[in-house]
Amino acid sequence: MSKLMKITLARRGVSCVAELLEKDAPRTCAAVWAALPLGGDAQHAKYARNEVYTMVPRFGDKIGHENPTVTPIPGDVVYFAFSGGMLDQSFKADQNIDHLPGVIDLAIFYGRNNLLLNGDVGWVPGNVYATIVEGLDVMAEACHDVWRSGSVGERLVYERLTTRSET
């Protein structure tokens, strides 16, 4: 039986269901599943386009690339591991992660034409470890509202889902 996660934009009260891709990204799925629940301040991407993400302290062993992409599609749930020197200092201070040696970025992609290219460092591949199987349409509307109205006070939360009736 597939493992499911509930992903929620807490302030907006909108959730979707994602299925872990255990065959394609077994190490990433195992690490994320073991660390759940996870969550933090929601941010909308500046460069990648249709992405909402949160940064959390590192967890689990180093995974490396697994089912990587630089062109995520709508519904992709992606894991990035960033070292302490990878992120802008003012962003780290704003997110209160400047004291950490590195962070995990947990992202959802809700629209088309995404490109994981950072002008400072080049390509930024991420591990696609889950796909949204329910609620992408309402989550996409809420994510677009994060872009349009702002992310202040919003949290992106990932948690285990044992049955779909929990949504």
Side-chain angles (χ1 to χ4, degrees):
M1 183 177 192
S2 298
K3 291 180 180 166
L4 302 173
M5 289 187 305
K6 181 178 178 182
I7 305 171
T8 304
L9 283 168
R11 188 172 63 101
R12 286 169 173 82
V14 175
S15 297
C16 62
V17 176
E19 181 178 343
L20 272 62
L21 302 173
E22 295 180 276
K23 289 181 183 173
D24 297 325
R27 294 186 318 273
T28 309
C29 288
V32 170
W33 189 256
L36 292 176
L38 294 164
D41 291 344
Q43 296 289 325
H44 197 286
K46 288 182 181 179
Y47 306 111
R49 193 161 173 153
N50 301 299
E51 171 192 6
V52 171
Y53 65 93
T54 191
M55 300 284 193
V56 299
R58 287 188 177 197
F59 55 83
D61 296 329
K62 183 176 179 182
I63 295 170
H65 295 302
E66 183 179 58
N67 199 30
T69 191
V70 292
T71 55
I73 62 173
D76 278 351
V77 183
V78 183
Y79 166 105
F80 302 89
F82 293 124
S83 65
M86 175 76 170
L87 302 171
D88 177 76
Q89 186 59 38
S90 61
F91 174 78
K92 291 190 302 185
D94 178 66
Q95 295 297 296
N96 195 29
I97 58 174
D98 51 338
H99 64 286
L100 299 175
V103 293
I104 302 298
D105 172 332
L106 298 174
I108 59 173
F109 289 84
Y110 66 90
R112 297 179 46 170
N113 301 320
N114 303 295
L115 188 61
L116 303 179
L117 181 60
N118 179 305
D120 295 330
V121 299
W123 296 107
V124 184
N127 295 352
V128 180
Y129 71 96
T131 187
I132 296 173
V133 295
E134 187 178 306
L136 178 58
D137 54 344
V138 294
M139 184 58 87
E141 286 181 34
C143 288
H144 181 73
D145 188 58
V146 171
W147 170 254
R148 184 163 166 70
S149 302
S151 64
V152 175
E154 184 62 86
R155 291 185 50 80
L156 186 62
V157 179
Y158 295 73
E159 56 192 328
R160 291 181 185 186
L161 188 65
T162 54
T163 66
R164 285 196 182 178
S165 63
E166 292 179 44
T167 60

